[in-house]
Amino acid sequence: MPVSRRAQGNAAQQVSLVVLLGPPGAGKSTQARRLAERCSIPFLDTGDMLRDEVRRGTKLGFQAERYMKAGELVPDTLVGPMLEERLSQAAESGGVILDGYPRTLAQAELLDSLVNKKGLPPPRVFLVDVPTANLLKRLTARRVCPRCGRNYNTYEQPPQKPGVCDFDGAPLVQRPDDREAVVRERLRVYRKETQPTIDYYARQGRLARIDGTQAQEKVTSDIVAKVSQ
Ligand code: AMP
């Protein structure tokens, strides 16, 4: 399940809506989880939400699965309503961190209109930037806990006991879309579809770039510092 939880922290007062952009493998999910704890607001990970629909065998999961397996984007007709519903709930929690949305210009425009409609402040947008050359290795080495959703990396961030989650002891798995051929397609889709989204926010002076090659702690503290400004 995507995690939605409130935790201890002191940055919540300044935060309402945070958007994390970045290529697959940049560490957005890890950062979303860390920021959610630091800022005491929930996060929404659209990839996790869709995987959860697939696992539960819902109609949406059934419709989304073939796109996800191929490394393609799930159509907006499926993702948009899912986001709108969750965004309404999130607005009541004092804010939300969006991980994996928007990924296209159309999604960025939809988000702006939903934010207006719901009277939320405009999103603070961060690009977690990692050079493409690092991403293939990062993604194919990624292992995920199917129970709590935490990510590991067999090279850079292995679990204490190989193949087992440090937090709940569940056996780690490789996401089907982290196989090399699918990763290459996801990176192609990112360059084609998500780059214009980044340009859209940059043109409006709404984009802050964060060096995603730094240690996880440093990436989090860089974002928190900018969120608190
Ligand atoms: P992620 O876990 O963020 O890498 O997302 C996994 C897959 O879910 C993507 O490759 C897409 O197929 C789908 N997905 C996640 N977020 C979106 C989105 N905002 N729009 C369309 N498809 C998405």
Side-chain angles (χ1 to χ4, degrees):
M1 271 299 285
V3 177
S4 290
R5 70 183 208 181
R6 298 170 72 80
Q8 299 304 307
N10 57 13
Q13 296 83 344
Q14 296 98 13
V15 180
S16 270
L17 192 50
V18 172
V19 166
L20 295 182
L21 299 176
K28 296 185 300 297
S29 295
T30 302
Q31 289 305 322
R33 190 180 293 273
R34 295 173 63 89
L35 287 168
E37 288 184 358
R38 286 281 287 274
C39 301
S40 305
I41 55 173
F43 72 85
L44 295 182
D45 175 338
T46 46
D48 257 3
M49 285 158 66
L50 289 165
R51 277 186 291 278
D52 188 50
E53 299 282 341
V54 172
R55 251 192 316 271
R56 290 190 290 118
T58 64
K59 186 174 170 208
L60 169 58
F62 179 73
Q63 290 169 315
E65 189 175 16
R66 68 188 171 101
Y67 298 99
M68 298 171 77
K69 272 192 174 154
E72 291 167 14
L73 293 181
V74 175
D76 284 346
T77 45
L78 301 178
V79 180
M82 176 181 86
L83 178 87
E84 181 165 8
E85 187 197 321
R86 298 296 185 92
L87 204 57
S88 304
Q89 295 165 8
E92 292 159 21
S93 326
V96 68
I97 295 158
L98 283 181
D99 164 17
Y101 196 99
R103 288 194 191 199
T104 64
L105 200 50
Q107 292 184 1
E109 288 166 355
L110 174 67
L111 180 62
D112 277 345
S113 75
L114 288 176
V115 158
N116 274 337
K117 193 167 112 185
K118 293 179 192 307
L120 295 166
R124 308 285 307 269
V125 186
F126 295 92
L127 172 62
V128 184
D129 217 357
V130 173
T132 314
N134 302 13
L135 296 170
L136 191 64
K137 190 174 172 196
R138 268 197 186 190
L139 283 167
T140 51
R142 176 160 66 181
R143 299 294 179 273
V144 185
C145 173
R147 197 175 294 161
C148 72
R150 285 187 170 81
N151 287 338
Y152 298 85
N153 180 293
T154 52
Y155 299 113
E156 293 169 1
Q157 204 212 341
Q160 282 161 19
K161 191 171 157 202
V164 175
C165 179
D166 293 345
F167 291 86
D168 56 31
L172 302 178
V173 297
Q174 183 177 37
R175 276 172 41 176
D177 60 349
D178 278 346
R179 283 175 290 115
E180 184 170 336
V182 186
V183 166
R184 287 188 189 280
E185 175 62 10
R186 289 164 63 203
L187 292 172
R188 190 192 67 76
V189 168
Y190 174 77
R191 282 190 293 271
K192 179 165 176 273
E193 303 286 354
T194 309
Q195 188 58 50
T197 317
I198 294 166
D199 299 340
Y200 168 82
Y201 288 122
R203 265 198 313 277
Q204 298 177 6
R206 293 163 67 189
L207 186 78
R209 288 173 195 273
I210 304 289
D211 178 359
T213 63
Q214 306 175 99
Q216 284 179 7
E217 291 76 11
K218 180 74 171 77
V219 175
T220 313
S221 59
D222 280 6
I223 298 174
V224 169
K226 286 193 193 271
V227 160
S228 311
Q229 272 168 13

